[in-house]
Amino acid sequence: MPELPEVETVRKGLLPAMEGALISNAAVNRPDLRWPFPENMAERLTGKRINALRRRSKYILADLDSGETLLIHLGMSGRMTVSGHTIGEFHHPHPTPAKHDHVVFDMENGARVTFNDARRFGAMDLMATEAQAEHWLLKGIGPEPFGNDFNESYLVERLAGRKSPIKTALLDQKIVAGLGNIYVCEVLYRAGIAPTRLAGSLTQHEVAGLVPLIREVLADAIEAGGSSLRDYRQADGELGYFQHTFKVYDREGESCLTDGCQSKIERFAQSGRSTFHCPQCQR
């Protein structure tokens, strides 16, 4: 499932083609993805201008001049690609329509933005922009990790006394938005904290130290274009490459990269997900 860096990378790739541009035609080629599309979605999008293209947690939000906002969730295999529009020094011609091109936006500027999703775990919805905070997918989501509301005192307060493992707590979208399994594993490795430690057992110093590390790991991943594991692609079709710099994730049985450490990276199941860690460096 794409996490914050992947979604942010896609959003940034879509900006030149979509933000400020008019949707000259929207084609919806099936009635649903993970859930049914909103009623008359194609008609509600066609002829509308995208005033802003934003991200909230793992969702892309397109604010329209109609007063509605289009919510886009990539799901496990969803891709949004741009063709017919210059991105940097490259021009991507329109490809032949593919079987799983479920939603297609033809923009007035000549760009075509295609949402392709082979497994159909993605989603799109339309909502009143002014009421978006109450949308069932967005309601209750915690602060953005790069925002001012996510700070040391906030995280210390939210984790105080919690009985759940620290990894589980950081995956809770009500505590912090956008973090997923890959990047929490990487953050805890950099912090030297075992993923099984109870969140409430961490000292204030340890919790405070997580805030800059979360931002650092996410910023590094965004700069690398995200992590490509299986289906993820950037908006220009290219792979992300942060996976080549993983310290623990997906490195089971490989040597720890910390100087002087002789341990191997271990994997175990935690809350239904694979957790990777160094048993020597993380305490």
Side-chain angles (χ1 to χ4, degrees):
M1 188 74 72
E3 302 180 21
L4 186 155
E6 289 76 46
V7 178
E8 179 64 11
T9 299
V10 171
R11 184 194 72 85
K12 291 171 72 173
L14 295 174
L15 278 174
M18 299 190 80
E19 189 169 76
L22 188 84
I23 304 171
S24 59
N25 185 68
V28 179
N29 299 326
R30 57 174 299 109
D32 57 13
L33 287 174
R34 188 172 184 180
W35 303 289
F37 286 121
E39 186 176 358
N40 300 321
M41 178 171 146
E43 291 80 1
R44 290 160 69 181
L45 293 173
T46 298
K48 307 304 186 295
R49 188 174 302 277
I50 298 175
N51 290 333
L53 195 66
R54 303 179 289 111
R55 179 193 54 75
R56 179 70 172 111
S57 186
K58 303 174 186 179
Y59 304 96
I60 295 172
L61 302 175
D63 295 331
L64 309 173
D65 62 1
S66 62
E68 289 192 303
T69 291
L70 173 67
L71 177 148
I72 303 168
H73 181 44
L74 298 176
M76 294 179 66
S77 60
R79 302 178 186 174
M80 295 194 76
T81 55
V82 178
S83 59
H85 189 273
T86 301
I87 303 177
E89 299 178 358
F90 301 97
H91 185 83
H92 299 266
H94 296 320
T96 302
K99 177 181 178 181
H100 300 294
D101 290 351
H102 303 310
V103 182
V104 179
F105 305 92
D106 282 310
M107 310 302 294
E108 190 178 42
N109 57 20
R112 175 175 294 166
V113 179
T114 302
F115 185 90
N116 179 286
D117 189 357
R119 302 184 192 180
R120 301 201 303 272
F121 284 126
M124 288 190 185
D125 200 5
L126 278 167
M127 57 192 160
T129 301
E130 63 181 14
Q132 63 186 279
E134 297 303 311
H135 189 276
W136 68 279
L137 288 173
L138 302 177
K139 189 175 182 179
I141 292 179
E144 292 288 325
F146 292 113
N148 292 333
D149 291 337
F150 183 69
N151 52 52
E152 296 174 0
S153 59
Y154 164 82
L155 193 58
V156 167
E157 180 181 349
R158 290 304 307 270
L159 297 185
R162 290 186 70 95
K163 304 294 186 182
S164 60
I166 181 59
K167 186 190 173 199
T168 302
L170 292 179
L171 288 173
D172 185 347
Q173 298 298 293
K174 294 180 180 179
I175 293 179
V176 56
L179 283 181
N181 194 42
I182 293 173
Y183 300 108
V184 171
C185 286
E186 294 295 306
V187 165
L188 291 176
Y189 170 78
R190 294 193 190 189
I193 296 172
T196 52
R197 284 268 306 275
L198 297 185
S201 75
L202 271 64
T203 66
Q204 289 192 14
H205 178 74
E206 287 176 315
V207 174
L210 288 171
V211 173
L213 286 176
I214 287 170
R215 291 173 173 159
E216 177 184 282
V217 168
L218 293 177
D220 288 348
I222 292 169
E223 184 177 0
S227 301
S228 290
L229 301 175
R230 300 178 184 168
D231 300 300
Y232 168 70
R233 295 292 189 278
Q234 301 180 55
D236 60 1
E238 296 297 319
L239 296 170
Y241 55 90
F242 187 72
Q243 69 275 11
H244 299 304
T245 67
F246 286 162
K247 305 299 184 184
V248 288
Y249 191 84
D250 205 29
R251 296 189 64 245
E252 181 184 11
E254 297 182 32
S255 297
C256 177
L257 297 176
T258 299
D259 289 342
C261 182
Q262 303 298 314
S263 291
K264 303 289 187 182
I265 302 303
E266 295 182 356
R267 181 190 69 84
F268 64 94
Q270 190 177 24
S271 301
R273 296 182 175 97
S274 291
T275 291
F276 298 87
H277 75 122
C278 173
Q280 180 65 33
C281 294
Q282 295 176 249
R283 301 286 183 160

